Amino acid sequence: MELSENFKYLGKVNIKTIKESLNKFDWEKFLYRQETFDVHKHTQSVPLIFDKDFRINNPTYLKDFNLCENFLTNLKQKFKKKLGEGFIIRALLVKLKNNSAISPHCDNGMSLNSCNRIHIPIVTNHHVIFTVGEESKYLKIGEMWEINNSQKIHSVSNSSHKDRVHLIVDWMKLAA
């Protein structure tokens, strides 16, 4: 999706319920992202809505979705107001391990280029820096940030002794 800026602030959301669910997930089970994409080798993921073929319609709702269903339903309403009619095509919780990084990269593929990618920090601190293009930011807990993931090189550095967790949501707008 075309985004003229590196980061676009979309507002805040109460992350209390999703944060309370984090210890209920098996962070060791889903290895696809870190085994398929070298830049994600220092991460662990819990897919909530996800398809390995990166389709642009008919998303698969996975077992762990149930633990976050109310939170994601609330997000849908916020995204409709901020971004327009659409649906969540992907949603995953992503843990970036302490003292590690996601190397600079640019997302590609039709699906990733067709959606709005939103990051919502669930667990973070001031030592976690997200960079898109030449701009770097500390993204605060509960903030919703759309990032320019398909046009700009982006990376994340976690120089703290604590793991960082973001909810990454891809919003697919309906054709006008």
Side-chain angles (χ1 to χ4, degrees):
M1 192 58 60
E2 291 277 327
L3 181 64
S4 59
E5 56 258 270
N6 295 324
F7 295 90
K8 182 178 179 183
Y9 179 72
L10 298 177
K12 287 192 67 120
V13 65
N14 184 340
I15 54 95
K16 182 181 178 201
T17 59
I18 199 164
K19 187 173 184 177
E20 290 171 350
S21 298
L22 291 181
N23 63 355
K24 297 177 184 175
F25 298 113
D26 180 356
W27 290 92
E28 305 289 331
K29 187 169 111 179
F30 183 76
L31 304 175
Y32 173 75
R33 286 180 85 236
Q34 60 266 41
E35 290 179 351
T36 305
F37 306 103
D38 190 55
V39 297
H40 297 301
K41 66 186 171 192
H42 299 295
T43 66
Q44 294 175 307
S45 302
V46 175
L48 306 171
I49 303 170
F50 189 82
D51 294 282
K52 290 179 183 175
D53 64 1
F54 287 88
R55 64 186 64 177
I56 61 170
N57 53 34
N58 300 317
T60 302
Y61 289 72
L62 302 169
K63 180 184 69 135
D64 289 324
F65 170 81
N66 295 330
L67 291 171
C68 303
E69 184 173 3
N70 291 338
F71 183 82
L72 290 169
T73 298
N74 181 38
L75 275 186
K76 286 180 194 178
Q77 299 310 312
K78 291 181 180 299
F79 293 163
K80 283 180 184 179
K81 288 179 185 175
K82 294 281 185 180
L83 301 169
E85 288 293 324
F87 59 96
I88 296 174
I89 190 68
R90 271 176 302 283
L92 357 121
L93 289 161
V94 178
K95 181 186 293 184
L96 175 60
K97 296 177 183 176
N98 65 74
N99 292 307
S100 63
I102 297 173
S103 303
H105 68 286
C106 196
D107 296 338
N108 54 35
M110 186 176 80
S111 180
L112 290 170
N113 293 332
S114 301
C115 65
N116 302 80
R117 171 146 287 186
I118 297 99
H119 277 255
I120 303 168
I122 308 299
V123 176
T124 193
N125 63 69
H126 291 288
H127 299 286
V128 177
I129 303 300
F130 205 119
T131 301
V132 179
E134 299 297 319
E135 186 177 359
S136 296
K137 287 187 180 297
Y138 157 61
L139 307 181
K140 296 176 185 171
I141 290 173
E143 293 181 341
M144 299 182 294
W145 288 93
E146 181 179 358
I147 66 158
N148 192 335
N149 64 305
S150 62
Q151 296 173 317
K152 300 278 182 102
I153 292 175
H154 56 283
S155 61
V156 185
S157 171
N158 180 0
S159 61
S160 76
H161 297 292
K162 296 181 180 179
D163 296 342
R164 176 225 75 173
V165 178
H166 277 198
L167 174 64
I168 301 173
V169 181
D170 290 338
W171 181 253
M172 186 67 69
K173 286 187 189 176
L174 296 178

